[in-house]
Amino acid sequence: DAGVIQSPRHEVTEMGQEVTLRCKPISGHDYLFWYRQTMMRGLELLIYFNNNVPIDDSGMPEDRFSAKMPNASFSTLKIQPSEPRDSAVYFCASSSPGGGALGETQYFGPGTRLLVL
Amino acid sequence: DAKTTQPTSMDCAEGRAANLPCNHSTISGNEYVYWYRQIHSQGPQYIIHGLKNNETNEMASLIITEDRKSSTLILPHATLRDTAVYYCIVRSWGNSGSARQLTFGSGTQLTVLP
């Protein structure tokens, strides 16, 4: 299994531009999570999906952020317009159904390093 | 989910056991202890989890005190590649309708020295 796949791995953009981050979860996993990591705030959850449906988006910073999961194998996190304070590493993670406490294990992708100038 | 307290940083000599403590004095009966680690520039990686019994897998051992208020992650023979931030997370599971997210604290920066 290739694990969680994220693209792009690095993104440099200018303030005001739209940024789209992509994630392919592990096949068969029914939960998908988007996290953001910065030096100041650490690793924080933005939103998560179950069976392609957003369950909790309370961590999304503001309306400039949106996330979609059109099918079980693909999700996007979009920032429009982007701002310098959005610079961070964005991680996607997925977890499998059932399996008790081990089923709760989350598998993280390599992250997308975003720099907004 | 219960709050955890970990030392900010620790050093360990290569080849020796690394013992990483975690305090979770407010843990409740249905909460598990999970350990993840994050090697620099990579995503977090699951290590091990437990409820009340000691657990061991190919990566590490987890020792949970009888009162479950603290635990220790043990890397039996630390290598340079084990240098990472180690996160201790306490959370319940299986609660219908409840969040399934992991709440990461600051973790412990483990540095394995040659």
Side-chain angles (χ1 to χ4, degrees):
Chain A
D1 195 326
V4 175
I5 299 172
Q6 292 186 246
S7 65
R9 294 291 307 277
H10 302 272
E11 178 80 29
V12 180
T13 190
E14 293 187 345
M15 183 173 63
Q17 296 298 306
E18 177 179 296
V19 175
T20 300
L21 311 181
R22 298 172 177 80
C23 175
K24 176 179 170 56
I26 293 172
S27 177
H29 283 191
D30 65 343
Y31 279 83
L32 184 140
F33 305 81
W34 282 101
Y35 291 85
R36 178 174 67 176
Q37 187 171 35
T38 62
M39 288 293 293
M40 291 295 293
R41 300 176 65 89
L43 198 60
E44 53 184 349
L45 178 74
L46 300 177
I47 185 172
Y48 77 97
F49 296 82
N50 178 218
N51 292 322
N52 313 335
V53 176
I55 302 300
D56 186 349
D57 65 353
S58 59
M60 296 286 262
E62 48 197 275
D63 292 345
R64 298 184 297 105
F65 286 69
S66 63
K68 295 181 179 179
M69 193 165 185
N71 58 62
S73 60
F74 184 66
S75 176
T76 61
L77 178 67
K78 185 174 294 186
I79 308 173
Q80 167 62 21
S82 59
E83 297 183 1
R85 59 189 168 131
D86 301 329
S87 298
V89 182
Y90 291 80
F91 290 102
C92 176
S94 68
S95 66
S96 62
L102 187 58
E104 302 281 327
T105 299
Q106 293 184 21
Y107 297 85
F108 285 76
T112 295
R113 282 151 185 77
L114 173 64
L115 177 63
V116 182
L117 302 174
Chain B
D1 295 331
K3 178 180 171 58
T4 61
T5 304
Q6 300 178 252
T8 302
S9 63
M10 294 181 64
D11 292 339
C12 176
E14 187 178 21
R16 303 298 294 270
N19 296 278
L20 293 92
C22 179
N23 182 286
H24 33 79
S25 58
T26 60
I27 193 170
S28 60
N30 67 340
E31 289 182 317
Y32 280 73
V33 180
Y34 287 82
W35 282 84
Y36 281 72
R37 74 178 182 184
Q38 186 174 22
I39 296 171
H40 183 61
S41 299
Q42 297 183 20
Q45 175 191 25
Y46 166 81
I47 301 173
I48 199 168
H49 76 280
L51 182 62
K52 54 183 178 181
N53 297 322
N54 297 337
E55 302 288 345
T56 296
N57 63 20
E58 65 278 5
M59 291 183 67
S61 294
L62 175 60
I63 308 298
I64 303 174
T65 58
E66 190 170 344
D67 63 7
R68 303 209 321 123
K69 293 184 177 182
S70 65
S71 61
T72 301
L73 178 74
I74 301 173
L75 308 179
H77 305 286
T79 70
L80 299 179
R81 288 174 295 183
D82 292 322
T83 292
V85 177
Y86 287 77
Y87 297 98
C88 170
I89 301 167
V90 173
R91 66 176 300 278
S92 56
W93 69 272
N95 296 341
S96 60
S98 69
R100 303 224 340 192
Q101 69 265 34
L102 297 170
T103 302
F104 288 83
S106 301
T108 297
Q109 171 66 58
L110 175 70
T111 302
V112 180
L113 304 171

